[in-house]
Amino acid sequence: MNNKLKAKDFITVGLFTALLFVVEFACGMLGFIHPYIVAAYVIIIPLVGGIPMMLFYSKTEKFGMLTTMSILLAIIMFVTGMGWLGAPLIIASGIVADLIAKGGNYKSAKKTILSNGVFSLWVCANYFPVIVSASSYRKDLLKGGYSAEYCDNLFRAINSKTAIVLIIACFIFGCLGAYLGEAVVKKHFAKAGIV
Amino acid sequence: MDACVCADKTQLHLDPRTKLFMVFVVSTVVLVTATTPFTVFLRTLITFVPLFLLILEGRALSALGFALMYGVAMFLMHFFISQNSSGIIMALLVGYCGIVVQFMPAMICAWYMVKTTKIGEFMSAMQKMHVPDGITISLAVIMRFFPTIKEEYGAIRDAMRMRGIMLGGGNPGKIIEFRMIPLLFSCVSIGDELSCAAITRGLGANVKRTSTVEIRLTSMDYLVMAGFLLIAIVFIMAKYTEIL
């Protein structure tokens, strides 16, 4: 089997990136209910995104697929206004996830779950600007018309102290999402003969 | 599959590279929160240019929708919400308006680019900028897929409504499963068809691809780019020197 990504694989990568972004966007819209939900992205997005990700893992199985996807996610995040500060983190998690999955030859269930856990860290990258520039960001938000209550809640949930918790939670729920996604993929797609 | 039926009808048809540049500038500017009236003005200005261009391309209705949404959020943000607002309704409003004001400008600009660029043009522009083929192909697929996902999702919702399934019985797992699985099924098969179609047309072959659409930077393109660059520079200067 040829292990280089071909045009067909890039189309698959694009397709799943679009799906993942739709998941992210749909979950992101919930963020306006309460700032705590913004922090809970690390739980919601990896869990829901696990389903398309697992299908993606079983469909491509070539080195570079996750790296490409992370580059695309970084581009989309930038274009939709989340900034470029998180981009190196997104791409780094993509490369590491790719290497882990390659270690299991893209077949090993354990390595795939681990790999998705690492890949899920791209969600955390979106908090990066909030954490790095916390004080000036807060001032800007207040001047920009946010209420103090919202800011307090936002920064109580996301700051340099909770960052570690968020990252770990993200990783765990990424693994959990992968596990659930694997089950869902088996239940529906293996039966239908798609994977 | 209504992605690119417009274009060519109008005089002003910008080069995809100009649109990319616009997206780049707008995304950079919205990163920085506008605090003074002047920077708010610049932000609004930079939002209304793509809206104006959308109208020129014959998409006045969606432009109006965006303008209304953005306008209402801006209005609420600046006249109703203050540092001291509290309470549940206010909190919801702050969250909603915050998201709209923060992300709408970039969204509108990206929407404008996606809706008014033909895939062929986009590919040829990316090739001219020497972007690796893999990234170009994937990006083109992403651009093309958003309308498809929306369409398929609508079909799934209709089918669910027809069978009287409202939310999946209130079980969050089911709510997601009932929507996600059919969506994945249809998207995967559409993706497979798409790659067959693309490969028969020579995508991924080891030659330099030619394009039937000729893209060229016109004086209008340079004008728009210069304008956006100017706004960006003034914005960043105003922000960091706080003169204005």
Side-chain angles (χ1 to χ4, degrees), chain B residues 158-217:
Chain B
D158 287 349
M160 284 174 70
R161 201 174 293 149
M162 226 157 70
R163 308 179 74 188
I165 307 168
M166 288 318 282
L167 272 171
N171 174 344
K174 288 256 153 73
I175 293 175
I176 294 161
E177 194 184 353
F178 283 8
R179 287 169 174 78
M180 186 70 107
I181 303 300
L183 189 66
L184 282 176
F185 264 108
S186 49
C187 285
V188 165
S189 57
I190 291 169
D192 283 344
E193 281 162 25
L194 186 69
S195 43
C196 292
I199 288 162
T200 44
R201 285 173 203 161
L203 190 77
N206 259 335
V207 286
K208 191 174 182 300
R209 287 166 56 79
T210 53
S211 178
T212 51
V213 241
E214 196 185 330
I215 54 164
R216 216 157 37 92
L217 289 169

Side-chain angles (χ1 to χ4, degrees), chain A residues 14-98:
Chain A
L15 157 62
F16 280 97
T17 312
L19 282 168
L20 198 60
F21 177 71
V22 169
V23 169
E24 195 268 342
F25 191 78
C27 298
M29 281 296 125
L30 294 174
F32 83 81
I33 300 173
H34 197 278
Y36 284 169
I37 294 184
V38 176
Y41 287 167
V42 292
I43 300 172
I44 307 169
I45 297 173
L47 276 185
V48 181
I51 305 170
M53 280 311 286
M54 282 303 107
L55 192 58
F56 178 52
Y57 273 104
S58 58
K59 268 196 83 81
T60 307
E61 303 188 330
K62 285 178 187 173
F63 183 70
M65 58 183 235
L66 294 169
T67 314
T68 316
M69 194 181 215
S70 62
I71 295 171
L72 294 171
L73 278 174
I75 294 174
I76 296 182
M77 286 299 121
F78 175 73
V79 164
T80 50
M82 320 277 184
W84 43 264
L85 275 174
L89 285 177
I90 298 179
I91 295 169
S93 67
I95 294 171
V96 174
D98 227 346

Side-chain angles (χ1 to χ4, degrees), chain B residues 27 60 82 103 116 138 166 198 216 235:
Chain B
S27 308
S82 70
F103 296 120
T116 59
S138 310
M166 288 318 282
R216 216 157 37 92
F235 183 87

Side-chain angles (χ1 to χ4, degrees), chain B:
Chain B
M1 261 117 283
D2 61 339
C4 32
V5 270
C6 53
D8 294 334
K9 276 182 294 188
T10 49
Q11 304 287 313
L12 185 75
H13 191 62
L14 294 172
D15 188 284
R17 281 167 288 180
T18 313
K19 292 175 191 166
L20 281 174
F21 183 75
M22 276 169 56
V23 170
F24 179 78
V25 168
V26 173
S27 308
T28 313
V29 165
V30 294
L31 282 186
V32 187
T33 327
T35 42
T36 59
F38 182 67
T39 46
V40 171
F41 166 73
L42 280 181
R43 242 181 104 117
T44 317
L45 183 72
I46 218 167
T47 312
F48 274 86
V49 173
L51 281 178
F52 178 66
L53 289 169
L54 265 177
I55 293 170
L56 280 187
E57 297 259 12
R59 294 189 168 266
L61 213 61
S62 52
L64 201 69
F66 279 133
L68 210 64
M69 206 167 147
Y70 188 69
V72 168
M74 277 296 259
F75 181 74
L76 286 175
M77 201 75 183
H78 287 279
F79 293 102
F80 275 113
I81 299 165
S82 70
Q83 290 198 16
N84 309 316
S85 323
S86 57
I88 294 175
I89 294 172
M90 267 312 193
L92 280 178
L93 267 183
V94 170
Y96 173 74
C97 296
I99 288 180
V100 170
V101 171
Q102 182 69 26
F103 296 120
M104 272 302 262
M107 291 284 189
I108 293 170
C109 207
W111 169 269
Y112 164 70
M113 189 188 82
V114 169
K115 276 291 171 188
T116 59
T117 312
K118 289 182 182 165
I119 295 295
E121 285 175 338
F122 177 76
M123 297 279 277
S124 120
M126 292 296 265
Q127 201 172 37
K128 280 199 174 171
M129 293 190 301
H130 303 286
V131 176
D133 265 359
I135 302 286
T136 312
I137 295 170
S138 310
L139 274 179
V141 172
I142 293 173
M143 273 171 63
R144 186 198 164 286
F145 242 88
F146 285 131
T148 312
I149 291 178
K150 200 175 152 206
E151 211 172 282
E152 295 297 322
Y153 183 70
I156 292 165
R157 223 178 27 198
D158 287 349
M160 284 174 70
R161 201 174 293 149
M162 226 157 70
R163 308 179 74 188
I165 307 168
M166 288 318 282
L167 272 171
N171 174 344
K174 288 256 153 73
I175 293 175
I176 294 161
E177 194 184 353
F178 283 8
R179 287 169 174 78
M180 186 70 107
I181 303 300
L183 189 66
L184 282 176
F185 264 108
S186 49
C187 285
V188 165
S189 57
I190 291 169
D192 283 344
E193 281 162 25
L194 186 69
S195 43
C196 292
I199 288 162
T200 44
R201 285 173 203 161
L203 190 77
N206 259 335
V207 286
K208 191 174 182 300
R209 287 166 56 79
T210 53
S211 178
T212 51
V213 241
E214 196 185 330
I215 54 164
R216 216 157 37 92
L217 289 169
T218 59
S219 49
M220 197 59 206
D221 286 300
Y222 288 115
L223 200 69
V224 172
M225 277 201 239
F228 267 78
L229 192 64
L230 191 72
I231 294 178
I233 292 171
V234 172
F235 183 87
I236 287 168
M237 276 183 36
K239 170 77 189 177
Y240 287 104
T241 54
E242 300 200 337
I243 301 170
L244 293 158

